[in-house]
């Protein structure tokens, strides 16, 4: 019998390649282990994403920088911040980011998709995920991914992103239009890192994804058959252990890196 296609998202693949133990705790263990608390940088990113989605849902006449700022305030949350003062300071930063972003954007564009779920089968997997924004330019789709991290991004980041490549393939299949251009929009700097894939470069990303998907599927099957969970899903330790959601359940991770405060990943 042919093997069933493995359904994967970029997040699943990244979690598996980053740390199989974290993958097991996140996707396989039931009941799932308790996670750590909220991270301020994740809260900040989610607020900006929600505000920009709501912004493009507005009629064109209302798509102003001031409206974008007000949407940041409307969607604001203080989870993970040290206190109200710190949360307020970063809320003002976020307002400034979206103001400048919108001010320099053609707000008359009508995205093809906002937070759009896309999916496509390949040889051995079904690659799927939710795309921040999908534009259409000159008859082709463009993947737009918002970023709010502390570091500026480069063309290499866009070119090497497996997530963006899989989104491009899945968007092309779902929306029945070609898609090769992917973009990272870094709100703190206003810079755009872009890469135009070829069919060959997309195929290379698919092969990588299929290899990882086969590994995680086989490990899951062996675990279900009674295999040793620590042997099948070993920890991969490093700096990332400082901000792992499952740190409290991983002695190796605790020994590998110090615990960080929930606001430590914010840009200074």
């Amino acid at each position: 019998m042919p093997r069933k296609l493995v359904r994967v998202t970029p997040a699943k693949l990244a979690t598996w390649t980053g740390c199989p133990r974290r993958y097991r705790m996140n996707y396989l263990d039931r009941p799932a282990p308790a996670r750590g608390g909220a991270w301020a940088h994740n809260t900040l990113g989610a607020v900006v994403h929600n505000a920009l989605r709501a912004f493009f849902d507005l009629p064109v006449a209302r798509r102003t920088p001031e409206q974008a700022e007000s949407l940041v305030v409307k969607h604001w949350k203080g989870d993970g911040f040290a206190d109200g003062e710190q949360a307020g300071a970063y809320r003002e930063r976020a307002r400034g980011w979206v103001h400048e972003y919108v001010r320099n954007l053609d707000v008359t564009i009508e995205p093809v998709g906002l937070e759009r779920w896309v999916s496509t089968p390949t040889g051995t997997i079904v690659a799927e995920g939710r795309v921040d924004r999908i534009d259409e330019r000159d008859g082709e789709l463009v993947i737009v991914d918002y970023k709010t991290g502390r570091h500026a991004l480069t063309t290499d980041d866009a070119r090497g992103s497996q997530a963006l490549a899989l989104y491009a393939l899945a968007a092309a299949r779902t929306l029945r239009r070609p898609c090769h251009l992917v973009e990272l929009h870094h709100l703190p700097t206003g810079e755009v890192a872009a890469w135009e894939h070829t069919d060959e470069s997309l195929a290379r990303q698919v092969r990588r994804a299929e290899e990882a998907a086969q590994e995680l599927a086989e490990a899951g099957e062996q675990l279900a058959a009674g295999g040793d969970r620590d042997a099948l899903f070993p920890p991969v330790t490093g700096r990332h252990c400082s901000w792992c959601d499952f740190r409290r359940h991983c002695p190796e991770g605790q020994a590998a890196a110090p615990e960080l405060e929930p606001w430590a990943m914010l840009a200074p």
Side-chain angles (χ1 to χ4, degrees), residues 59-216:
V60 171
R62 296 182 58 200
R63 294 178 189 170
T64 65
E66 292 72 26
Q67 279 284 359
E69 287 191 49
S70 71
L71 288 168
V72 169
V73 175
K74 178 180 178 180
H75 290 278
W76 185 257
K77 294 183 178 179
D79 300 343
F81 290 92
D83 51 34
E85 181 179 358
Q86 186 188 58
Y90 278 89
R91 182 186 62 214
E92 293 308 301
R93 284 198 190 189
R95 288 178 61 184
W97 294 345
V98 299
H99 180 105
E100 288 302 303
Y101 180 70
V102 167
R103 189 175 67 83
N104 292 293
L105 192 68
D106 178 4
V107 298
T108 66
I109 63 171
E110 292 296 345
V112 178
L114 294 170
E115 299 290 337
R116 176 66 187 263
W117 187 264
V118 294
S119 177
T120 186
T122 70
T124 60
I125 65 174
V126 176
E128 53 192 10
R130 195 178 305 277
V131 186
D132 291 346
R133 195 175 93 216
I134 305 173
D135 292 345
E136 183 175 2
R137 302 176 201 158
D138 301 322
E140 290 216 6
L141 302 178
V142 180
I143 301 299
V144 174
D145 194 48
Y146 303 129
K147 294 297 182 183
T148 58
R150 59 196 301 173
H151 299 298
L153 302 168
T154 67
T155 299
D156 286 343
D157 292 308
R159 177 178 57 190
S161 171
Q162 185 178 77
L164 293 181
L166 294 181
Y167 288 153
L169 285 165
R173 171 63 180 258
T174 301
L175 299 172
R176 306 296 181 182
R177 273 165 279 182
C179 183
H180 294 89
L181 182 60
V182 298
E183 296 180 346
L184 296 168
H185 291 207
H186 190 241
L187 273 292
T189 61
E191 296 179 356
V192 174
W195 181 254
E196 186 160 6
H197 279 286
T198 63
D199 291 340
E200 291 74 19
S201 66
L202 290 174
R204 286 195 295 272
Q205 290 284 10
V206 168
R207 287 194 294 271
R208 287 178 50 216
E210 289 179 336
E211 290 170 0
Q214 181 178 354
E215 292 173 357
L216 66 87

